[in-house]
Amino acid sequence: MSTRRLTVAQALITFLARQYSERDGHRQRLIPATWGIFGHGNVAGIGQALVESGGDMRYLQGRNEQAMVHAAVGYARQSNRLSAHAVTTSIGPGATNLVTGAALATINRLPVLLLPGDTFATRPADPVLQQLEAPSAGDVTVNDALRPVSRYFDRVSRPEALIPAALAAMRVLSDPAETGAVTLALPQDVQAEAFDWPEEFFAERVWRVRRQAPDPYELAEAVRLVREARRPLLVAGGGVHHSRAEDALAAFADATGVPVASTQAGKGSLRFDHPGDVGAIGHTGTATADELARTADLVIGVGTRWSDFSTASATLFAHPGVRFLNINVTGFDAHKLAADPLVADARTALEGLTEGLAGHRVDPAYAAEYGEDKERWEQRVDAALSADEELTRPTQAQVLGALDALVTDEDIVINAAGSLPGDLHKLWRARSRDQYHVEYGYSCMGYEIPAAIGVQLAAPGRPVWALVGDGTYLMNPTEIVTAVQERLPLKVVLVQNHGYASIGGLSESVGAEGFGTAYRFRAADGTFTGAPLPVDLAANAASLGMRVIRAKTVRDLREALAEARAAEGPTCVYVETETADTVSGVPPAQAWWDVPVAETATRAAAVEAREEYDRHTRARRRHL
């Protein structure tokens, strides 16, 4: 058997450069690039190996470890989970900074390979720099914090252990039912240790992403359920996009007339102007979709994990005899809400369901009902997005309206946290399958800019917009430097409203009176009710190398957005909107969301909020 003598780090990078995924006959690199920030735990191992790799493994320089994972996640989502990035860090704070990004990846079922350094396996000195000392467990390191947020975790404490660990990592990354964050913790001494590797380890390897066919008995039962339903509603989740099942979904909707609502991850599964698209569902949903949900006797979930936002904390599906049919590639998700499961790839299952339902359509009166409701909602959207061009300070909805009037199906819009996701879910008119990219599984502040970089890397030549509020910008702006370094034509829309608009509104509704949610000077009475802080976020973005265009009126904003869209380098459009404590003009929530309110309180606002809370909880039900 021929062998090659390499260090563990060199062997890993060589191995990764030869891994491919394949679906439907299309092949791509599984790990085409590695993000990295170097410290003593990885600079002489993975760092040196990347130098030796030449052009085989692209290196991308990050500024914050959490942000590097977000960038990798953005890339993986845009790549339909068929291609992923690796992320390497040192041991210590570099490794623990990965935890938030890993949780986001795993919750959203998106692949990312994490390669944190680890403390010495040989323990030449004890403790070493950045070592966590656990008196009752000598083998525990800070990397163990990554175990619960990883779909697969291994610590490679011997060179030969890399072979099964690396193969297991690739299996999980390429498995649509298993994927998420994968962690290979690499002790820094082991990274630099040489070993005679079998040449077969470095052979090109293809990981085929299966399209699981539905069980014929489950499919037959699904067909029966749809045929018997009088008011069926389909809820499209992120699995529709991951499977590239949008055409199959459109064919199903066209053939049967079943209306289609969407979760945050599933928005864009149908174009906004498709007759069957009834918009967003749940707490941030449209009146059309939520009213249909309340009267649906069959709810067909496709590729959704059924979060509390989608179900309005188990208060939305109110029909006394409602049943659920869940199409999902994982049995874990398919059985939620006591559903009849159809465990299969979304595209394959929808094609089979459409074929089995040949000739079946919903009652014409039902189709006319949701069609009229959809038209009425679109009128409300028009009202929220429209604006007087001379307004000195537009609302957040009017900022979205200006962007909505500019983009085509080529543009990609990215957001994650704050008040923007709710406004986008209700109002945005998705024009293509991948235009709408809102991370709401973990709703992580600071996701938008690094994720947009990952999306831009996966979709070169397309306009990519990161919509960022002031709160999330202050969390994680530093990857702007990476966009400048890589000469990426990223577009950032920076919305300044001087506070946490979303949590501020929630605080008011639960009796916490907006405490601690505005960016203001502390007043004499100790409250934060003084003047807004003199923070210039536009100047900050410019200092990081971005071109910044300031917009004051709606007319300025329209011109600035058009200029940014045509720009060849990273560009920021800065706009100050109505402050966090003023209404945005967006239709209010059409369904409830459970945030527990103080059971006892002395202040009237909290007492009233608790009465409202108790009223809603009485409507909650367990679907059994």
Side-chain angles (χ1 to χ4, degrees), residues 34-292:
T34 297
W35 289 85
I37 296 175
F38 295 113
H40 65 87
N42 65 340
V43 67
I46 295 292
Q48 190 276 335
L50 287 168
V51 171
E52 287 209 352
S53 72
D56 289 344
M57 178 63 69
R58 183 178 183 180
Y59 168 66
L60 295 162
Q61 187 177 42
R63 269 71 199 176
N64 174 282
E65 292 86 359
Q66 176 181 318
M68 292 195 298
V69 186
H70 292 338
V73 166
Y75 177 87
R77 175 166 166 171
Q78 186 63 31
S79 301
N80 299 306
R81 305 194 300 185
L82 299 174
S83 188
H85 283 168
V87 177
T88 181
T89 70
S90 183
I91 185 59
T96 51
N97 280 349
L98 296 173
V99 173
T100 296
L104 182 147
T106 296
I107 284 172
N108 285 286
R109 321 296 207 255
L110 293 166
V112 59
L113 176 62
L114 307 180
L115 305 174
D118 213 326
T119 52
F120 285 79
T122 53
R123 305 184 191 179
D126 196 22
V128 297
L129 180 64
Q130 297 179 330
Q131 179 177 334
L132 175 71
E133 293 186 88
S136 62
D139 63 341
V140 170
T141 79
V142 296
N143 282 331
D144 287 281
L146 286 160
R147 287 183 184 271
V149 292
S150 297
R151 292 293 288 173
Y152 178 81
F153 179 98
D154 203 349
R155 179 175 284 114
V156 182
S157 298
R158 290 289 306 149
E160 55 268 38
L162 176 66
I163 294 176
L167 292 171
M170 298 304 104
R171 175 189 61 79
V172 174
L173 288 170
S174 61
D175 188 327
E178 292 289 329
T179 197
V182 169
T183 300
L184 297 182
L186 303 169
Q188 58 177 301
D189 52 344
V190 177
Q191 287 183 51
E193 189 174 344
F195 185 74
D196 293 320
W197 305 91
E199 282 289 350
E200 290 85 351
F201 184 54
F202 305 118
E204 288 190 0
R205 193 179 302 265
V206 179
W207 301 85
R208 289 184 174 83
V209 180
R210 71 183 69 87
R211 288 196 179 277
Q212 183 175 346
D215 176 87
Y217 295 100
E218 287 187 351
L219 180 59
E221 178 65 8
V223 169
R224 183 187 68 80
L225 289 172
V226 178
R227 285 188 177 277
E228 292 180 355
R230 302 276 73 83
R231 297 182 65 84
L233 172 68
L234 188 146
V235 176
V240 175
H241 294 310
H242 298 326
S243 175
R244 289 301 304 265
E246 297 88 359
D247 290 345
L249 177 60
F252 172 85
D254 290 340
T256 64
V258 173
V260 176
S262 57
T263 68
Q264 283 279 15
K267 192 173 173 75
S269 294
L270 290 182
R271 270 186 60 102
F272 79 96
D273 53 1
H274 188 285
D277 178 65
V278 294
I281 196 166
H283 177 63
T284 54
T286 68
T288 307
D290 284 351
E291 284 304 312
L292 287 172

Side-chain angles (χ1 to χ4, degrees), residues 6-38:
L6 298 171
T7 69
V8 168
Q10 291 163 358
L12 177 57
I13 296 301
T14 303
F15 168 85
L16 293 177
R18 288 159 175 74
Q19 305 304 301
Y20 294 84
S21 70
E22 183 178 281
R23 186 174 70 181
D24 302 332
H26 300 289
R27 183 177 300 186
Q28 51 275 310
R29 282 276 297 275
L30 181 55
I31 310 290
T34 297
W35 289 85
I37 296 175
F38 295 113

